[in-house]
Amino acid sequence: MDSYDVPESTPSASSRPEDYFVGATPLQKRLESIRKHTSFIPTPPRRKVPQCSQLQEDVDPQKVAFLLHKQWTLYSLTPLYKFSYSNLKEYSRLLNAFIVAEKQKGLAVEVGEDFNIKVIFSTLLGMKGTQRDPEAFLVQILSKSQLPSENREGKVLWTGWFCCIFGDSLLETVSEDFTCLPLFLANGAESNTAIIGTWFQKTFDCYFSPLTINAFNLSWMAAMWTACKVDHYVATTEFLWSVPCSPQSLDISYAIHPEDAKALWDSIHKTPGEVTQEEVDLFMDCLYSHFHRHFKIHLSATRLVRVSTSVASAHTDGKIKILCHKYLIGVLAYLTELAVFQIE
Amino acid sequence: MMSVLRPLDKLPSLNTATILLVGTEDALLQQLADSMLKEDCASELKVHLAKSLPLPSSVNRPRIDLIVFVVNLHSKYSLQNTEESLRHVDASFFLGKVCFLATGAGRESHCSIHRHTVVKLAHTYQSPLLYCDLEAGVQWCDHGSLQTRAPGLK
């Protein structure tokens, strides 16, 4: 197993000191090494900071409850140019007009489509990691009720929200005019996501790209979420692997009782508050060898596509469902990191 | 008996070079070997394929001049296999007779191994690392630490 040194504070013995400077972002380090024509000695992908951070005090659990138990499709978003939180009403109006115009063009016509929609922009208070993170905001498309007597809000057709949790490495590199909200989560019809994406790209000169989660990151998520202490388990811990074979790929599903998974993790975990690469590798290797002992199949030669725990579940195509409000910020922090990495 | 591959335990043959490819993916190794044999070579080139080391001692084979360890970034199993096989290679091989080949980097979404792991492996063994993709139509993304690509392959 590889052992990684702590990044930035103690350079590993094999690297030259001038290749490192304290506090550099990975992008800066890479540029520096290219400029000096030296070979880039890699820093470890990460040595995780404490994984279960408490939700900020000023967040009302009721207000964020609608974010849980929903499947979100993930996108990474480049910084927004000249976005202002005081113009949210204006943006609602503009986006509303844009959506109606697009739909009337016949570009995204669905049978029985209701053109009486209302777009609402609102801020999501407290959805941030540090004070530096920009405020998260939410966009919702609601169907306006046809009956005049009913003045309540209609059904929510589409929800999308933008956030940035512990996005320091990105925040450092952009200027004042830009708002960094690298993580975008969408729930609802794909056609709506496309229209709204187009409007944002035109208005704020940004770029959306679908955020995929590779097997490496899925194993990290599996380990971190298994490590989280949960009062009562709502779901079994489940993994799904895809075996590449022709003509059709096979899927292998492996379900473990969540308490057993936690017991396995506790026996591996050494440093309190931190998760290391070796621990993640060992955790997955234990599962692989157990499976191999029984079925003589090397799961390590297949591709992990889905991880499901009581905290959250994630699919490689960039789909996430968060089940536990206590670790909402923790899950989002990791996703923000992946989004920032994809942007850079 | 634990057989360790040694670079100088056999006499060299005239105008012949033998390359040993070690990796878990048979189809990949076969494709790589075929491509290499198609290239113009000053001497006669022989390519041996092996799933892992140690090699069976009963077979009569020529002296190995270069070992290429093929690691598929999509498969942790292939990395573990490489790490196991490295134990059966004599230290003097690492003076320029070993090379690491990483495949699958182009498809980031399918990677189970972090690129840094193979970079660190190559660095530990003081041997070059090449990236190569044998799949047609793979989109290359910008990898800052990408070194050279194997000639004749994508």
Side-chain angles (χ1 to χ4, degrees):
Chain A
M1 295 298 164
D2 291 279
S3 62
Y4 291 94
D5 301 276
V6 178
E8 278 140 18
S9 48
T10 49
S12 59
S14 55
S15 72
R16 279 165 285 184
E18 60 264 25
D19 286 349
Y20 281 77
F21 36 93
V22 179
T25 63
L27 181 61
Q28 288 171 314
K29 282 204 207 101
R30 245 186 283 154
L31 290 173
E32 188 63 30
S33 74
I34 290 169
R35 234 178 291 141
K36 286 187 180 167
H37 300 293
T38 53
S39 71
F40 176 54
I41 311 299
T43 53
R46 68 194 125 254
R47 187 161 210 183
K48 276 302 179 188
V49 288
Q51 2 84 325
C52 27
S53 52
Q54 296 300 319
L55 205 56
Q56 303 281 357
E57 255 68 59
D58 53 344
V59 177
D60 184 7
Q62 304 284 29
K63 290 223 173 71
V64 294
F66 74 98
L67 299 175
L68 304 175
H69 300 284
K70 258 207 190 73
Q71 180 165 287
W72 300 101
T73 307
L74 300 169
Y75 296 85
S76 67
L77 178 61
T78 58
L80 301 163
Y81 184 63
K82 289 222 164 37
F83 174 85
S84 165
Y85 289 96
S86 48
N87 289 352
L88 294 184
K89 276 220 162 54
E90 177 72 11
Y91 298 147
S92 308
R93 204 180 48 80
L94 289 169
L95 182 55
N96 201 337
F98 184 79
I99 293 175
V100 172
E102 286 290 318
K103 296 216 164 165
Q104 282 175 345
K105 259 195 239 177
L107 285 176
V109 174
E110 283 154 27
V111 178
E113 183 117 23
D114 182 13
F115 284 177
N116 281 333
I117 54 154
K118 190 169 145 163
V119 176
I120 300 183
F121 275 64
S122 52
T123 47
L124 276 174
L125 291 170
M127 296 299 290
K128 42 159 73 169
T130 63
Q131 284 310 316
R132 265 191 84 180
D133 289 328
E135 209 66 59
F137 73 93
L138 175 73
V139 179
Q140 280 178 309
I141 301 180
L142 299 120
S143 64
K144 255 197 297 208
S145 167
Q146 300 281 17
L147 307 166
S149 57
E150 237 183 77
N151 54 5
R152 289 182 145 265
E153 294 298 325
K155 202 164 68 109
V156 176
L157 297 174
W158 185 93
T159 316
W161 50 295
F162 301 74
C163 67
C164 177
I165 317 282
F166 295 110
D168 290 329
S169 63
L170 187 64
L171 292 166
E172 277 164 21
T173 58
V174 297
S175 69
E176 293 277 313
D177 293 329
F178 288 92
T179 312
C180 286
L181 291 161
L183 187 63
F184 173 61
L185 303 93
N187 172 284
E190 180 58 39
S191 54
N192 287 332
T193 311
I195 295 175
I196 288 166
T198 314
W199 183 81
F200 269 91
Q201 285 178 168
K202 273 193 350 191
T203 317
F204 301 110
D205 197 23
C206 57
Y207 185 70
F208 286 89
S209 89
L211 184 65
T212 51
I213 310 173
N214 64 23
F216 176 78
N217 287 311
L218 283 175
S219 352
W220 263 91
M221 286 181 186
M224 291 201 298
W225 298 341
T226 307
C228 292
K229 235 191 299 233
V230 179
D231 296 326
H232 82 107
Y233 293 100
V234 296
T236 48
T237 303
E238 204 179 309
F239 298 82
L240 188 70
W241 282 272
S242 167
V243 184
C245 58
S246 54
Q248 264 191 331
S249 68
L250 270 177
D251 282 335
I252 300 177
S253 161
Y254 186 171
I256 317 168
H257 195 283
E259 280 165 13
D260 292 339
K262 183 80 166 66
L264 172 64
W265 175 258
D266 288 337
S267 65
I268 294 170
H269 190 50
K270 297 283 177 309
T271 2
E274 276 189 331
V275 177
T276 65
Q277 180 71 56
E278 297 132 307
E279 288 169 355
V280 175
D281 286 339
L282 190 54
F283 180 68
M284 295 308 288
D285 283 342
C286 287
L287 298 176
Y288 292 152
S289 53
H290 181 85
F291 195 85
H292 183 253
R293 198 179 314 134
H294 290 272
F295 299 102
K296 297 285 175 276
I297 294 178
H298 286 285
L299 283 174
S300 49
T302 63
R303 181 169 73 109
L304 183 59
V305 299
R306 190 166 181 270
V307 166
S308 193
T309 64
S310 291
V311 170
S313 74
H315 189 282
T316 192
D317 290 340
K319 309 235 188 293
I320 188 117
K321 195 191 276 199
I322 308 173
L323 304 169
C324 177
H325 109 269
K326 193 168 151 197
Y327 296 105
L328 179 58
I329 294 288
V331 172
L332 292 171
Y334 195 150
L335 295 173
T336 306
E337 199 185 314
L338 293 182
V340 169
F341 181 74
Q342 187 168 295
I343 296 170
E344 285 178 358
Chain B
M1 185 186 85
M2 280 286 254
S3 54
V4 173
L5 213 55
R6 288 176 215 283
L8 300 170
D9 59 350
K10 294 191 183 175
L11 290 173
S13 5
L14 198 63
N15 268 346
T16 314
T18 308
I19 298 181
L20 175 66
L21 300 178
V22 181
T24 50
E25 329 257 311
D26 301 324
L28 210 86
L29 294 191
Q30 194 66 56
Q31 218 180 329
L32 187 58
D34 289 339
S35 302
M36 286 163 79
L37 290 170
K38 284 206 198 107
E39 292 284 326
D40 259 328
C41 190
S43 354
E44 190 194 326
L45 181 66
K46 288 200 177 133
V47 182
H48 280 244
L49 305 180
K51 196 167 162 81
S52 64
L53 298 176
L55 297 172
S57 47
S58 53
V59 177
N60 188 18
R61 81 180 76 80
R63 188 176 85 161
I64 307 283
D65 298 303
L66 177 71
I67 309 178
V68 180
F69 288 99
V70 182
V71 179
N72 182 0
L73 292 177
H74 300 180
S75 159
K76 271 178 104 168
Y77 177 61
S78 95
L79 178 68
Q80 285 166 347
N81 181 61
T82 301
E83 286 170 344
E84 295 277 328
S85 303
L86 280 164
R87 287 197 221 136
H88 298 280
V89 178
D90 184 64
S92 45
F93 249 113
F94 296 106
L95 298 170
K97 289 177 186 265
V98 169
C99 166
F100 291 93
L101 194 67
T103 66
R107 247 212 252 192
E108 179 71 37
S109 58
H110 279 55
C111 288
S112 331
I113 306 169
H114 202 283
R115 262 185 314 118
H116 290 170
T117 310
V118 283
V119 173
K120 194 165 165 115
L121 182 70
H123 190 255
T124 310
Y125 286 96
Q126 303 283 324
S127 299
L129 171 65
L130 303 174
Y131 290 93
C132 127
D133 247 308
L134 296 172
E135 285 172 29
V138 170
Q139 196 92 44
W140 278 94
C141 2
D142 173 43
H143 293 291
S145 62
L146 217 52
Q147 288 155 7
T148 45
R149 292 199 217 164
L153 299 158
K154 209 155 55 98

